[in-house]
Amino acid sequence: MRSIIAKSAGILAVSSMVLLPVPLQAAEKTTNHNSHAHGEKSAEKSVYKGYFENSQIKSRTLADWQGDWQSVYPYLEDGTLEPVWAHKAESGDKTAEEYKAYYTTGYRTDVDRIVIDGDRITFHKGAEAATGLYEEDGYEILNYEKGNRGVRFIFKKVDGDDSAPEIIQFSDHQIAPGKAGHYHLYWGDDREALLSELTNWPTYYPSSLNGEQIVEEMTAH
């Protein structure tokens, strides 16, 4: 896929416990297992932050985003997400208020719920709903100014309501098949125009989660 340039976002205590010798082979297995697990976790964290090789990117299907999803924007509006901004400010380069302003622009949407069932995606705006049938349409790599990258997995409408968007683009910090825990979604009728959208990224978490659980998920990263 082509790559797109995007401009932007002690003292040691001695124990009396007796240590029994560990067989060398068992010790090697434990060490190798721990090293492997640490390596996998480190690689996942690197991908999450947007640092990866093109060879690591794999095509994905809508199976990764199946389910009933809720927008987090209402939780921002009612103050539920306030602890998130404070948490980010502890180690980030913005104040809590600045983070809130940034995410207010990012999360803003009137699509409060999305249901993905097979190849059918239903967009809910209050009492109104629009459904489209979508098929995979590849992915695009975005290169950001600070050096990291992102991948948009793209699907196009092949049937459904006229009011359902022609193009949708998923971004969930993953670059290969795997169930999403949350995602940012871009939608509209112009594929290229959507790729240049970097400030508004409506974000969705499982509808089964309440506000406090979403805060826990957000502050875990």
Side-chain angles (χ1 to χ4, degrees):
M1 290 292 171
R2 62 197 173 91
S3 183
I4 295 174
I5 302 297
K7 294 184 177 180
S8 46
I11 298 175
L12 295 178
V14 179
S15 171
S16 61
M17 179 175 63
V18 176
L19 298 179
L20 298 177
V22 179
L24 179 60
Q25 185 177 13
E28 288 178 341
K29 285 183 178 180
T30 300
T31 300
N32 291 338
H33 174 74
N34 289 342
S35 297
H36 180 69
H38 177 74
E40 285 187 341
K41 187 173 182 179
S42 179
E44 289 176 2
K45 188 173 182 179
S46 180
V47 169
Y48 186 90
K49 291 185 175 181
Y51 297 96
F52 50 82
E53 299 296 329
N54 287 1
S55 60
Q56 294 176 264
I57 306 172
K58 307 298 180 184
S59 297
R60 301 171 69 183
T61 70
L62 285 173
D64 287 356
W65 299 281
Q66 294 290 297
D68 194 319
W69 304 86
Q70 61 179 320
S71 166
V72 298
Y73 188 55
Y75 292 119
L76 183 151
E77 291 188 296
D78 69 13
T80 299
L81 301 186
E82 292 299 317
V84 177
W85 322 138
H87 173 77
K88 290 183 177 294
E90 291 175 0
S91 58
D93 58 0
K94 298 180 178 66
T95 66
E97 283 304 309
E98 288 172 334
Y99 274 113
K100 181 177 181 178
Y102 172 75
Y103 282 93
T104 296
T105 299
Y107 290 163
R108 182 176 287 116
T109 183
D110 59 358
V111 176
D112 49 50
R113 180 181 172 219
I114 294 177
V115 178
I116 303 175
D117 181 11
D119 59 356
R120 298 170 59 88
I121 302 179
T122 302
F123 299 80
H124 293 266
K125 294 182 181 181
E128 300 179 3
T131 300
L133 272 64
Y134 294 84
E135 67 177 21
E136 183 184 358
D137 195 31
Y139 60 80
E140 299 284 1
I141 303 169
L142 277 68
N143 295 304
Y144 304 126
E145 286 186 329
K146 65 179 182 178
N148 63 332
R149 304 191 296 165
V151 180
R152 301 268 186 96
F153 291 92
I154 305 172
F155 296 81
K156 63 181 180 181
K157 186 173 70 176
V158 293
D159 197 5
D161 299 330
D162 291 341
S163 55
E166 295 294 324
I167 300 291
I168 58 173
Q169 301 178 355
F170 288 93
S171 175
D172 62 1
H173 312 286
Q174 296 179 193
I175 59 174
K179 179 63 178 176
H182 76 276
Y183 59 85
H184 312 294
L185 192 66
Y186 307 78
W187 62 83
D189 297 332
D190 188 325
R191 179 185 177 122
E192 296 299 321
L194 286 177
L195 291 172
S196 65
E197 175 55 75
L198 300 174
T199 58
N200 177 230
W201 14 268
T203 301
Y204 296 84
Y205 276 73
S207 294
S208 59
L209 299 181
N210 61 32
E212 291 183 357
Q213 291 171 317
I214 289 176
V215 168
E216 291 177 2
E217 291 282 334
M218 289 182 171
T219 54
H221 299 294

